[in-house]
Amino acid sequence: MKKEWKNALCYLLFFCFCFAGGRLTAAKQAVKASNMSTYGKLAIVIDDFGYSGEGTDEMLALPIPLTVAVMPFSDCSKEDAQKAVNSGKEVIIHMPMESLSGKAEWVGKKGIFRTMNDEEIKALVEEAYSILPNAKGMNNHMGSAIMEDTRCLGDILDVVKEKNGFFVDSVTTAKSQGKALAKEKGVPFLARRVFLDSTDDIEVVKKNLRKAGEMALKGGEAMAIGHVGPEGGDVTVKALQSLIPELKEKGVVFVTASELAK
């Protein structure tokens, strides 16, 4: 009788252990599931249009919403912007700005520099909008020095606000004043979460795309930046072509930057 009682007690304890373990596993799975949205919005901004660089036409042919960042003072600025509009893509200004490192000529023919006064900065931003009148907003090309300078960045944001635009911080410096200043001035603001490319390795670009998709699913939305031309071009296009179906199947919804900025 004692032996049977002990066996019964052992079975009872084993059952309780399994039940508790199952409940704990289920709870962990529920928490994990609750941290993942059923879908997530992903905005992809593609920089460096304006030179008809490698991957330009192929990028515009992708069957997803894209935000095309066009250099305003380049040889093919208007041409590339019109191609983007004709392709149903969103256009923003890829505004050249002074960097804390690198050569001044890397900024381009024209750019925002800290030596400029307020009137000169605003006039150049106005000129950029006159060249790209379909632009819905702006992001920075290089620009780590300007993104840390509240005076210069404030001048830029003043014009963006007048144009009812939004600003995308490419996050070229950890000390960017973009978010705080945009909030102060009432300008819709987005910040880059992932850089997709600047590599010839398509597997790296795919890894970065998947990372951006996971961020979108976990947080509800995310934004990534890629490039045409030597910083991305064909390799970025091929990675996107390959992964669009996979990301959509997982619940990623591709949107424009302006949709996230709302």
Side-chain angles (χ1 to χ4, degrees):
M1 187 70 179
K2 284 185 178 180
K3 186 176 181 181
E4 291 177 356
W5 182 83
K6 287 181 180 179
N7 287 339
L9 181 61
C10 288
Y11 281 124
L12 179 62
L13 289 172
F14 179 75
F15 173 80
C16 290
F17 176 80
C18 292
F19 179 78
R23 290 290 296 271
L24 182 60
T25 300
K28 287 181 178 179
Q29 290 175 341
V31 170
K32 183 177 180 181
S34 68
N35 288 335
M36 296 291 286
S37 303
T38 54
Y39 72 95
K41 295 180 180 180
L42 177 60
I44 295 180
V45 176
I46 302 296
D47 286 350
D48 294 349
F49 280 83
Y51 297 102
S52 289
E54 176 186 300
T56 291
D57 292 337
E58 294 81 2
M59 195 73 76
L60 294 177
L62 289 173
I64 56 171
L66 281 179
T67 298
V68 171
V70 182
M71 299 282 285
F73 309 117
S74 303
D75 295 336
C76 300
S77 298
K78 291 184 178 181
E79 178 184 344
D80 280 4
Q82 190 58 54
K83 283 183 180 179
V85 171
N86 293 345
S87 301
K89 311 304 184 190
E90 178 175 76
V91 173
I92 64 173
I93 297 167
H94 193 39
M95 194 70 190
M97 302 182 194
E98 181 184 359
S99 176
L100 290 168
S101 59
K103 299 177 181 178
E105 55 263 31
W106 293 351
V107 176
K109 294 178 180 178
K110 294 181 180 180
I112 305 296
F113 291 89
R114 288 172 292 179
T115 54
M116 299 167 66
N117 63 37
D118 297 340
E119 290 72 22
E120 289 171 330
I121 292 172
K122 291 182 179 182
L124 195 62
V125 179
E126 289 279 3
E127 183 180 351
Y129 269 103
S130 70
I131 294 169
L132 301 172
N134 292 315
K136 304 298 183 183
M138 179 177 293
N139 75 338
N140 54 298
H141 169 63
M142 299 179 69
S144 53
I146 301 301
M147 295 305 297
E148 292 184 11
D149 189 302
T150 56
R151 179 187 70 85
C152 296
L153 184 57
D155 290 338
I156 295 166
L157 292 176
D158 284 342
V159 180
V160 173
K161 184 176 182 178
E162 288 174 6
K163 304 296 182 180
N164 295 314
F166 61 93
F167 190 85
V168 175
D169 189 342
S170 301
V171 193
T172 54
T173 171
K175 297 179 181 179
S176 173
Q177 300 300 307
K179 183 176 182 180
L181 204 53
K183 182 178 180 180
E184 177 185 317
K185 291 181 175 292
V187 175
F189 176 86
L190 296 170
R192 185 267 310 166
R193 299 289 302 279
V194 178
F195 269 132
L196 298 178
D197 42 29
S198 296
T199 174
D200 294 328
D201 189 340
I202 191 170
E203 294 305 318
V204 173
V205 182
K206 286 181 178 180
K207 180 181 178 181
N208 292 336
L209 270 169
R210 289 189 175 104
K211 179 181 178 181
E214 289 169 3
M215 287 181 173
L217 290 169
K218 186 173 182 178
E221 61 183 45
M223 193 194 72
I225 290 180
H227 302 80
V228 290
E231 293 297 315
D234 288 340
V235 68
T236 304
V237 170
K238 289 175 181 177
L240 279 163
Q241 289 171 334
S242 175
L243 288 190
I244 285 171
E246 175 187 315
L247 292 173
K248 283 185 174 180
E249 186 176 351
K250 289 180 177 178
V252 173
V253 178
F254 292 95
V255 299
T256 59
S258 64
E259 185 167 341
L260 290 193
K262 293 177 183 177

